Amino acid sequence: MINYSCINRLRTLRDIIRYTTTIFNKSGIFFGHGSDNAYDEAVYLILHSLNLTADNLDIFLDSNITENEIRKILHLISKRVDLRIPVSYLTEESLLQGYKFYINKNAIIPRSPISEIIQNCIYPWVKDPESITSILDLCTGSGCLAILSALSFQRSIVTATDISEKALKIAEKNINYYNLQDRIKIINSNLFDDIPISQYDIIICNPPYVNTQSLNNLPEEYLHEPIIALDGGEDGMSIIKNIKKVKIFLKREGILVLEIGNEYNNFIKHFQNINPTWITTANTENSIMLLHKEQIP
């Protein structure tokens, strides 16, 4: 529990950042939704609460904080520490590849490393970004990957699908924020069930893939996210095993970019006859694969 009696001793932005960092370090909270350390998370939460940006930090470090502002910050700290609510749900905002996305508890917090690949226009497998005119984003959630795809491949029309209507409401809000409603179409569908037959240059999929044992051992922070967006069944492959249906929806030169998290060994067991290209990102290895249409059985 947060001790509100400390209010009179917290006077400046510097004071509250130091205090929050200490609380976060002592609390044992898990960092996995945008930051990886107590200081960065403390700074982000506090600046957001004060409607300041990171560019303002040095300017305002020694500025006095009002008692109401401190109470507001302490309330957020309490929720983060006592309830283990991820900071992005507290701020209703998530940053991915420098872009801002609205988020709430009805969709998982944007963090897919596929975003890094999209930012690089899936190079070198896509030689000419302007040749990409159609993209399908399966399991879109907040719509972040669909939006990044539309921004990276500027001649493309993107179809974003999800089984969750609540998640699609979040995606719609983000799509409207970036004024991409004319280029991104939303479809409520359980994978391919309600998607009209069409062929795409690129299919992106970040499906539920956490296996049952791992799901039962996740840090408490992840339990605030929709279970349907995480649960991949006993071996994490319950959704991924439908990969073969992708082939119908790909153009002859089309590619699939699929995220499987930490389920590399389970994937190999299930798909011994598939030899994908494994794409390494800044923080992942053997987690994201690329398949050309002819590689899919």
Side-chain angles (χ1 to χ4, degrees):
M1 295 291 291
I2 301 300
N3 181 6
Y4 283 82
S5 66
C6 68
I7 285 178
N8 293 332
R9 297 192 297 276
L10 298 173
R11 295 186 175 86
T12 66
L13 178 57
R14 189 188 302 274
D15 290 339
I16 193 70
I17 288 174
R18 200 281 310 158
Y19 175 78
T20 306
T21 303
T22 298
I23 292 292
F24 282 177
N25 276 325
K26 289 170 60 178
S27 68
I29 58 176
F30 183 82
F31 304 106
H33 292 94
S35 64
D36 61 4
N37 65 84
Y39 174 77
D40 286 344
E41 188 148 306
V43 169
Y44 170 72
L45 184 62
I46 292 165
L47 291 182
H48 188 279
S49 175
L50 297 172
N51 293 313
L52 297 174
T53 67
D55 294 340
N56 301 140
L57 181 58
D58 289 342
I59 300 172
F60 292 112
L61 266 178
D62 294 309
S63 298
N64 288 333
I65 309 298
T66 69
E67 183 175 323
N68 284 340
E69 288 173 331
I70 292 175
R71 285 187 181 278
K72 180 181 178 182
I73 293 167
L74 292 179
H75 181 64
L76 291 172
I77 295 170
S78 179
K79 284 188 171 184
R80 180 68 186 95
V81 170
D82 298 334
L83 302 179
R84 292 299 200 262
I85 298 174
V87 68
S88 289
Y89 285 154
L90 295 175
T91 62
E92 294 190 329
E93 176 186 280
S94 182
L95 300 175
L96 188 64
Q97 299 299 326
Y99 290 89
K100 203 179 286 188
F101 297 99
Y102 169 77
I103 192 65
N104 66 35
K105 64 180 181 180
N106 292 316
I108 63 171
I109 295 167
R111 56 183 177 274
S112 172
I114 290 179
S115 61
E116 179 183 329
I117 298 165
I118 294 171
Q119 281 284 82
N120 293 325
C121 295
I122 316 183
Y123 183 82
W125 300 278
V126 173
K127 296 287 193 295
D128 178 14
E130 292 195 357
S131 70
I132 303 301
T133 59
S134 57
I135 299 172
L136 173 62
D137 178 26
L138 290 170
C139 309
T140 194
S142 65
C144 58
L145 296 183
I147 290 166
L148 291 176
S149 296
L151 294 173
S152 291
F153 299 97
Q154 296 189 8
R155 295 188 65 241
S156 67
I157 298 297
V158 181
T159 301
T161 76
D162 204 283
I163 192 174
S164 168
E165 291 185 12
K166 291 181 178 179
L168 289 178
K169 289 185 183 299
I170 297 171
E172 183 177 21
K173 185 168 184 173
N174 284 318
I175 290 165
N176 290 340
Y177 177 81
Y178 284 101
N179 198 28
L180 289 168
Q181 54 269 35
D182 292 336
R183 292 185 50 216
I184 302 179
K185 177 173 64 176
I186 289 174
I187 297 178
N188 182 211
S189 178
N190 182 5
L191 291 180
F192 299 101
D193 288 355
D194 297 304
I195 304 175
I197 294 293
S198 184
Q199 292 194 310
Y200 299 89
D201 295 302
I202 299 170
I203 295 178
I204 293 163
C205 185
N206 177 22
Y209 52 66
V210 182
N211 69 65
T212 300
Q213 182 178 352
S214 296
L215 196 66
N216 292 334
N217 291 298
L218 283 176
E220 194 173 344
E221 279 81 353
Y222 290 97
L223 304 183
H224 291 277
E225 296 186 292
I227 191 71
I228 193 174
L230 299 172
D231 188 2
E234 184 177 355
D235 60 1
M237 294 292 113
S238 63
I239 303 298
I240 294 170
K241 68 185 180 184
N242 294 302
I243 186 176
K244 295 179 182 180
K245 294 181 182 179
V246 171
K247 195 167 187 176
I248 302 171
F249 291 83
L250 279 173
K251 293 180 181 179
R252 188 179 66 175
E253 302 295 326
I255 58 175
L256 166 69
V257 179
L258 175 67
E259 182 171 343
I260 63 165
N262 296 319
E263 304 300 330
Y264 175 81
N265 290 333
N266 285 326
F267 180 86
I268 296 300
K269 289 178 186 176
H270 260 279
F271 301 102
Q272 297 180 20
N273 60 335
I274 295 180
N275 185 28
T277 299
W278 294 98
I279 304 177
T280 299
T281 68
N283 297 304
T284 64
E285 193 171 343
N286 292 339
S287 177
I288 299 172
M289 71 180 73
L290 183 143
L291 283 165
H292 294 274
K293 181 171 182 175
E294 65 267 19
Q295 294 177 284
I296 303 171

